[in-house]
Amino acid sequence: MSEMVSNSVRKSEGESGNEPVIVADKLTRYFGRKAVVHDLSLSIPRGGVTAFLGRNGSGKTTTIRMLLGMLEPTRGSSRLLGHDSRNLPPETRARIGYMAEAHPLYGWMRPAQLADFQRRFYPRWNQELFEAIVAHFRIDSKTKAGQLSRGQRAGVSLGLTLAAEPELLILDDPALGLDPVARRLLLETMLFYTRGKGRTILFSSHQLDDVERVADHVAILDHAILRASCPMEVFRGRVREVVLRFDGQAPPTPSVPGLLRTQRFERELRLTVANFNGHAQELAARAGAAAVEENELGFQDQVLAYMGDRGDESFFLNSLRAEA
């Protein structure tokens, strides 16, 4: 796609000297005639935190389930820790931690019982770490999981996941529905987990302020298509807003490579552009603008530009003003 922001994956691999922890090659999944994920290719090197972003229904959970071998792709392939996702051996699965959306737990079990059950599948189980995380979330060990708050269930789920000491941690919207205190505890634990040990986290989220705090790499999925995949600092530096102001009515939107979004006002066009070459004056001259301004955008506005519908947008209250 012309608006794609991406890093040089081969360069990153060469610098790290490691095989990527996650590789997807044209991963595609149809449900009926609808492509939920289409030709997704992605490479994530070892270490750091990758945020997997997109609106509800964009295909994030479907992608995660295919990566983990829980869902067969229609076509394409993926590898985790060097192994085909469709045939992950038990010893490789023991190196992967997965925290599902909504933090499902056996409601009749207490935290200690859940840990006793979970530890049977993981040879490197760290009971001390599990108990520390449960205490960090202020969870009463005598309370059954079905009676815990959503934030407390998230804490138990995270403890069960991290106590296995996985090399790769995959979290599907872990902050969903959590209050600010529980979200902060979750982020603190994630950051501590990756610190200095070459561990890797892939997590999906709608909390963009949290993403900005913890992510080293960002991947954006929208309408089944991977729109961007690059380090955070690359993404932040490549998406710009160009404001064109006119003496009269704004003309049709000029052709701009990498155009993500156009906001149209009576005498103004606001263009959000990926990989903008900085030639704002040249663009203004072609469009016949009387003035031009190039602005940096906040991270949330940059991400939302990728998730919005392409084409011109007019502020919806303009039509009401015209009718008044």
Side-chain angles (χ1 to χ4, degrees), residues 25-30 37 62-63 65-67 69-78 84-86:
D25 182 20
K26 297 184 178 179
L27 205 58
T28 299
R29 175 69 194 201
Y30 278 81
V37 178
T62 298
T63 299
R65 293 181 66 202
M66 287 191 289
L67 291 174
M70 300 167 62
L71 182 66
E72 185 79 13
T74 303
R75 63 173 180 266
S77 62
S78 61
D84 192 315
S85 295
R86 291 168 292 190

Side-chain angles (χ1 to χ4, degrees), residues 128-144:
E128 184 179 359
L129 177 59
F130 173 77
E131 292 174 358
I133 293 173
V134 169
H136 190 54
F137 277 80
R138 300 183 179 180
I139 298 168
D140 185 349
S141 61
K142 298 179 181 179
T143 304
K144 292 182 178 181

Side-chain angles (χ1 to χ4, degrees), residues 250-287:
T253 301
S255 176
V256 182
L259 181 63
L260 298 174
R261 182 187 187 199
T262 300
Q263 291 179 287
R264 176 176 296 277
F265 301 91
E266 184 177 356
R267 297 189 178 188
E268 183 177 286
L269 291 177
R270 290 180 173 263
L271 312 179
T272 305
V273 185
N275 300 315
F276 186 60
N277 59 17
H279 298 161
Q281 294 295 339
E282 178 183 328
L283 175 59
R286 285 195 287 112

Side-chain angles (χ1 to χ4, degrees), residues 149-161:
S149 69
R150 181 171 290 184
Q152 290 172 325
R153 289 201 309 272
V156 173
S157 296
L158 190 62
L160 293 171
T161 304

Side-chain angles (χ1 to χ4, degrees), residues 217-295:
H217 190 102
V218 59
I220 301 176
L221 191 64
D222 189 53
H223 295 294
I225 303 293
L226 187 67
R227 302 289 183 186
S229 177
C230 60
M232 176 68 81
E233 65 270 18
V234 173
F235 183 82
R236 293 297 307 272
R238 297 260 183 103
V239 182
R240 288 287 184 269
E241 179 186 65
V242 180
V243 182
L244 302 177
R245 297 187 176 89
F246 302 87
D247 292 331
Q249 186 72 28
T253 301
S255 176
V256 182
L259 181 63
L260 298 174
R261 182 187 187 199
T262 300
Q263 291 179 287
R264 176 176 296 277
F265 301 91
E266 184 177 356
R267 297 189 178 188
E268 183 177 286
L269 291 177
R270 290 180 173 263
L271 312 179
T272 305
V273 185
N275 300 315
F276 186 60
N277 59 17
H279 298 161
Q281 294 295 339
E282 178 183 328
L283 175 59
R286 285 195 287 112
V292 61
E293 180 181 331
E294 184 177 346
N295 299 324

